[in-house]
Amino acid sequence: MADAPPLLDVRGLSLGYATARGTVRALDGVTLAIRRGAAMGLVGESGSGKSSVVLALLGLLGKEAALAADRLDFAGEDLRVAAPRLRGLRIGTVFQDPAAALNPALRIGLQVAEPLVQHRGLSARAAHGRAVELLAEMGIPRAAAVAQAYPHQLSGGMKQRAVIATALACEPELLLLDEPTTALDVTVEAQILDLLERLRAERGVSMLLVSHNLGIVDRLCDGLTVLYAGRVVESGATEALLAAPRHPYTRGLLAALPRADRGRIGRLAPIPGSLPDLTRPDPGCNFRPRCPFAAAGCEAPQALHPLDARHVACHRAEMLHDAAWPAPDAAAADRVPLGGTLLEVADLARGFRLGRGLFRRQAEVRAVDGVSFSLRRGEVLGLVGESGCGKSTLGRLVLRLIAADRGSIRFDGSPVPAMPPDGFRRRAQIVFQNPDTSLNPRQTVDVALRRPLERFGLAHGAAATREVERLLDLVRLTPAYRPRYPHQMSGGEKQRIGIARALASRPDFLVCDEAVSALDVSVQAAVLNLLEDLRDTLGVAYLFISHDIGVVSHIADRIAVMYRGAIVEEGPAAAVLAPPYHPYTGALLSAVPVVGARGRAAARTRLKGDVSSAPTEGGCRFAHRCPAERGTVCRTQAPPVQQAGPGHAIACHIPVAELARAPAALAVAE
Amino acid sequence: MSGAAGAATPARRRLPRTLVIGLVIVGVIALLAALGPWIAPHDPDAFAMRMRLRPPSLARPFGTDEFGRDVFSRVLAGAHYSLLMGFGATAISLAIGVPLGLLAALHRGWVEEVIMRGVDLMISLPPVLLGLLILAVTEPGLFKTILAVGLVYVPIMTRLARAVALELLAENFVEAARARGEGAWHILAREIMPNAWPPLIVETALRITFAILLGSALSFLGLGPQPPASEWGLMIAESRPFIAEAPWIGLAPGLCLCLLLIAVNVAGEGLRDLLDPRLRGRGHG
């Protein structure tokens, strides 16, 4: 087997982009081989060049790109020549965003059939018939009807299935998957990963899966290649590599990863520094400036060499076998003990009318529908749920940034009116997801941080300057950042400024709306540590909204699970992450791709459809997707809230004792 | 690759060539318009019946009209009308339209409905007709023309200002300002306007061309400055009976109008290249 020539054979692939600042070396001697029927994962953080590899293979690079390779072969043909002929026919591609991949003006069936007409010369009628078959094979119910639909009529998961059907139409030997599930919710992601797994087993199609998510790669791929700043640093068998990474960068990536199955580990280890300047590639190891093990010899070029059944580009890898990854800097201080109740939310609700206007028909969506919870001083409540469940709306309702239809909020004992006083505004702040839009592009860091100080009369003049510097120090940035504009900073730096701005007024309560979701793992770890330190030293309470259960399980004291506008389960983090749990929580947890959990397949619960599927009036809002649904009771009566343990509530018709018998979706290490 | 955009600050960015060329031409025309009365070789309104309908020559580069007036001097003396109409009218539409648009964006609900439906109503009328409506009820004159043209373009500025403001109001940094309990005035002045003026100013620059054109069109119809003023549109109108025997009378102001329009437009395009980051990197073809 090993002697057969690989299906895809890439050696010494280099790629330069001409830019105003000089040539950016996006790829530098990338070597990669995929056997027939094998699946290779290509992981790396943003800027590592992983998407450039896909574009290079497809011959879709722009004119400004200079490509060089010792070998770029697909089944013995040079892709530099043959790519235009092979793509779509023998190489299928699935990109990240299914909404962008489909033409909104054409019916799904036509788009799936197109490559068959184009490459295989099928008649329109035959191609359409085949398209319906393909859609059915992708697990799309009522495939014939879906083929007649337009993209906007399908959910994200269904769209991605249609894109995969298109990619597979001509029965390619290789499937290039560029972050195929990143735009999807975790339960839908699990369905798509199941589908890909099945396709690989049934059709024997080879795959190159590009992802930033190690858990997904571990699920799907038997080989793994780790890219750092355009170079391969380690490649080998996925399982062995993830169990015992040998390159310092791979080790750092794993140390920085918050993992749902590990629960609350003490502290994450961020990788210090940032990507090197790709316009001046370092002839030696380019991870050297960030590497805790850097030593003499690292400035020499590092070749990939075999070690422990894999290839590593680090001359010290063998020597460092037993050296432990340096422990993360200790927490800033012992944690302030939890205080009394700070925030009490009761029966909060908000609907949105669709089709606003004088003459339009109005429909209402209940984004948040009767939510109650409370939060103590210094406590972190994690709020998880899929997109559209209302978690961001809830975060804004709590801050009175959008008006509630009904419900009450008490903050520190006193009710918060619809137009809250300055005192509440000072003490309750928000951190946003997207660092690019959370800062005003025309304001310097200094202006942005000074404003809350002046607004609340906390400091003026020189005192404000000192305070701005203290805030920068708090988020581990130097005073040199004061005159900078947002476009002069990296994503992680911008996110820290966003946090510093929220902290400027010395709040007691922060809503973190996906505050680390847009960041790379190594940066995310640093920001998470920072948030923990602030909680521990300042006693700030967080409503930590996230779709990433790994992150939430790492930072939250308690977790609330939200589904279509209501909290279905709430309790201490460890209790929510283990049975008994609400069937939705169970499905959510079993869908999370976890590193090193291949044997988990047996415990998988899969949901049908997705959140936008048909509503159920009156009954349990999860009933139509619930794997444990009990018939009419679930569909007609609102579920009772049951106590499953101290402070642990589950809204479900099924008795707690029975829920407790559900298999553990995560093997939570105690 | 857009990676380079992060390194350059707005001040250090090179000025687009189109902006420079456009501004130089507009500047020269503005200078000639300002100096017109002093540098004109002849009195623009002096009749000289012996010199009627003379073709262009060295002494009279644009020839003479049916009353023997020097066309070059007249074009020179009339330049300020077009400039005043273009810039003045645009300034009026900006001054009325932008506040209305911002008001509509900030006060969603009946205020917005009233403003935007009014805007719809005005947009549904052809510009010339709307200008006629405004002018027909009173005596024509330069400043009324400017006002009429300005009012015609108010709805467009209102719509644009509202669209830009709505987009910005949805940004997280505005939400952060609201989480600080900032008032509407602060949000408008400090968060919205610094980000809104680049697209507004670009649109304004491109609108000036339309304002000049509409002003000249209204003058052509006799609804602008009255004879013997040498407004270019009016000159073209007056030259009509002589178009066959003395085409230079109409051609001279027409070509000058053309040059001014092109220059303003080119400068506007350049300004867009400079200020609108969404178009940067596409090159200015």
Side-chain angles (χ1 to χ4, degrees), chain A residues 10 58 99 124 127 135 168 174 176 188 191 206 217 238 261 302 312 318 334 411 452 475 487 513 557 580:
Chain A
V10 178
L58 291 170
L135 289 170
L168 287 174
L174 177 67
L176 302 180
V188 180
Q191 296 167 5
S206 305
V217 172
T238 309
D261 56 331
Q302 305 291 318
V312 185
E318 192 158 18
D334 285 340
F411 187 78
V475 295
H487 72 265
D513 188 5
D557 300 300

Side-chain angles (χ1 to χ4, degrees), chain A residues 10-82:
Chain A
V10 178
R11 291 186 205 169
L13 173 63
S14 294
L15 179 64
Y17 289 108
T19 71
R21 286 180 306 145
T23 303
V24 170
R25 202 92 202 251
L27 295 176
D28 195 357
V30 169
T31 294
L32 190 74
I34 302 179
R35 285 182 292 105
R36 273 182 196 278
M40 168 70 81
L42 188 61
V43 300
E45 297 180 289
S46 48
S48 62
K50 51 192 192 302
S51 290
S52 292
V53 171
V54 171
L55 295 178
L57 292 178
L58 291 170
L60 291 176
L61 292 160
K63 282 197 299 275
E64 70 280 10
L67 183 86
D70 299 331
R71 183 175 277 190
L72 195 62
D73 285 0
F74 172 80
E77 289 193 76
D78 191 338
L79 279 171
R80 277 165 290 193
V81 182

Side-chain angles (χ1 to χ4, degrees), chain A residues 251-435:
Chain A
R251 295 172 66 171
L253 264 189
L254 282 162
L257 192 67
R259 296 167 65 165
D261 56 331
R262 297 277 169 89
R264 289 184 80 140
I265 49 170
R267 232 168 133 72
L268 302 169
I271 305 174
S274 53
L275 274 186
D277 183 357
L278 293 175
T279 55
R280 282 173 288 131
D282 191 330
C285 172
N286 57 6
F287 185 59
R288 180 166 46 123
R290 303 175 72 183
C291 181
F293 304 121
C298 289
E299 68 283 352
Q302 305 291 318
L304 272 177
H305 61 273
L307 175 77
D308 285 353
R310 77 190 72 181
H311 288 81
V312 185
C314 174
H315 69 113
R316 304 196 67 208
E318 192 158 18
M319 219 181 313
L320 295 169
H321 189 256
D322 298 317
W325 185 260
D329 49 332
D334 285 340
R335 188 167 174 187
V336 175
L338 294 189
T341 303
L342 180 69
L343 181 75
E344 264 185 293
V345 170
D347 195 30
L348 213 53
R350 168 70 198 228
F352 288 105
R353 281 193 295 272
L354 303 176
R356 198 192 62 86
L358 285 178
F359 308 111
R360 268 159 281 179
R361 196 171 54 84
Q362 298 190 343
E364 195 179 65
V365 173
R366 288 191 191 158
V368 173
D369 195 7
V371 167
S372 307
F373 66 89
S374 68
L375 189 64
R376 297 165 70 187
R377 278 174 196 280
E379 189 179 38
V380 179
L381 175 64
L383 187 61
V384 297
E386 296 176 281
S387 56
C389 74
K391 54 192 194 297
S392 286
T393 306
L394 179 59
R396 280 158 179 76
L397 281 175
V398 166
L399 291 179
R400 294 284 196 209
L401 285 176
I402 49 180
D405 293 339
R406 62 164 205 268
S408 68
I409 302 170
R410 290 182 78 82
F411 187 78
D412 207 7
S414 43
V416 181
M419 299 294 268
D422 278 0
F424 175 77
R425 290 281 181 227
R426 185 188 72 71
R427 296 177 62 187
Q429 282 291 319
I430 181 165
V431 178
F432 300 97
Q433 167 173 13
N434 189 341

Side-chain angles (χ1 to χ4, degrees), chain A residues 290-647:
Chain A
R290 303 175 72 183
C291 181
F293 304 121
C298 289
E299 68 283 352
Q302 305 291 318
L304 272 177
H305 61 273
L307 175 77
D308 285 353
R310 77 190 72 181
H311 288 81
V312 185
C314 174
H315 69 113
R316 304 196 67 208
E318 192 158 18
M319 219 181 313
L320 295 169
H321 189 256
D322 298 317
W325 185 260
D329 49 332
D334 285 340
R335 188 167 174 187
V336 175
L338 294 189
T341 303
L342 180 69
L343 181 75
E344 264 185 293
V345 170
D347 195 30
L348 213 53
R350 168 70 198 228
F352 288 105
R353 281 193 295 272
L354 303 176
R356 198 192 62 86
L358 285 178
F359 308 111
R360 268 159 281 179
R361 196 171 54 84
Q362 298 190 343
E364 195 179 65
V365 173
R366 288 191 191 158
V368 173
D369 195 7
V371 167
S372 307
F373 66 89
S374 68
L375 189 64
R376 297 165 70 187
R377 278 174 196 280
E379 189 179 38
V380 179
L381 175 64
L383 187 61
V384 297
E386 296 176 281
S387 56
C389 74
K391 54 192 194 297
S392 286
T393 306
L394 179 59
R396 280 158 179 76
L397 281 175
V398 166
L399 291 179
R400 294 284 196 209
L401 285 176
I402 49 180
D405 293 339
R406 62 164 205 268
S408 68
I409 302 170
R410 290 182 78 82
F411 187 78
D412 207 7
S414 43
V416 181
M419 299 294 268
D422 278 0
F424 175 77
R425 290 281 181 227
R426 185 188 72 71
R427 296 177 62 187
Q429 282 291 319
I430 181 165
V431 178
F432 300 97
Q433 167 173 13
N434 189 341
D436 293 319
T437 67
S438 66
L439 300 179
N440 187 333
R442 307 249 164 198
Q443 283 181 1
T444 61
V445 167
D446 190 62
V447 171
L449 295 186
R450 204 176 271 269
R451 179 61 199 168
L453 300 172
E454 287 166 357
R455 166 82 182 83
F456 298 111
L458 300 170
H460 294 277
T465 307
R466 279 197 302 279
E467 185 65 13
V468 167
E469 287 176 3
R470 187 189 70 86
L471 286 165
L472 286 172
D473 184 54
L474 207 57
V475 295
R476 316 270 184 276
L477 294 173
T478 63
Y481 280 83
R482 272 179 50 211
R484 294 206 191 174
Y485 282 93
H487 72 265
Q488 296 167 317
M489 294 185 285
S490 72
E493 287 165 345
K494 278 184 267 192
Q495 196 63 347
R496 286 165 202 231
I497 298 299
I499 294 171
R501 181 182 60 193
L503 289 172
S505 58
R506 303 192 181 225
D508 305 308
F509 171 56
L510 275 189
V511 172
C512 297
D513 188 5
E514 303 274 8
V516 296
S517 304
L519 306 174
D520 271 321
V521 170
S522 63
V523 181
Q524 171 184 294
V527 174
L528 276 176
N529 283 351
L530 170 68
L531 287 171
E532 278 179 1
D533 286 348
L534 297 170
R535 171 198 68 193
D536 294 351
T537 53
L538 307 176
V540 183
Y542 299 133
L543 177 62
F544 199 94
I545 300 167
S546 182
H547 70 281
D548 186 334
I549 289 148
V551 169
V552 169
S553 64
H554 174 74
I555 197 167
D557 300 300
R558 284 190 303 134
I559 296 178
V561 181
M562 210 167 162
Y563 187 77
R564 289 183 61 200
I567 290 175
V568 295
E569 177 170 1
E570 196 215 326
V576 173
L577 294 175
Y581 30 51
H582 191 280
Y584 177 62
T585 315
L588 204 58
L589 293 177
S590 80
V592 176
V594 173
V595 172
R598 303 202 140 200
R600 220 154 57 97
R604 269 180 215 154
T605 325
R606 286 294 177 261
L607 296 181
K608 302 163 285 199
D610 45 42
V611 190
S612 56
S613 312
T616 324
E617 283 304 322
C620 172
R621 57 195 75 227
F622 184 58
H624 63 287
R625 287 181 82 195
C626 186
E629 192 226 330
R630 291 293 164 92
T632 39
V633 167
C634 291
R635 289 185 181 267
T636 53
Q637 286 175 38
V641 176
Q642 309 180 67
Q643 290 300 314

Side-chain angles (χ1 to χ4, degrees), chain A residues 218 222 224 234 236-246 250 254 307-310 598:
Chain A
D218 194 25
D222 30 31
L224 173 62
E234 189 165 1
T238 309
E239 215 164 337
L241 204 154
L242 290 177
R246 300 302 294 274
T250 323
L254 282 162
L307 175 77
D308 285 353
R310 77 190 72 181
R598 303 202 140 200

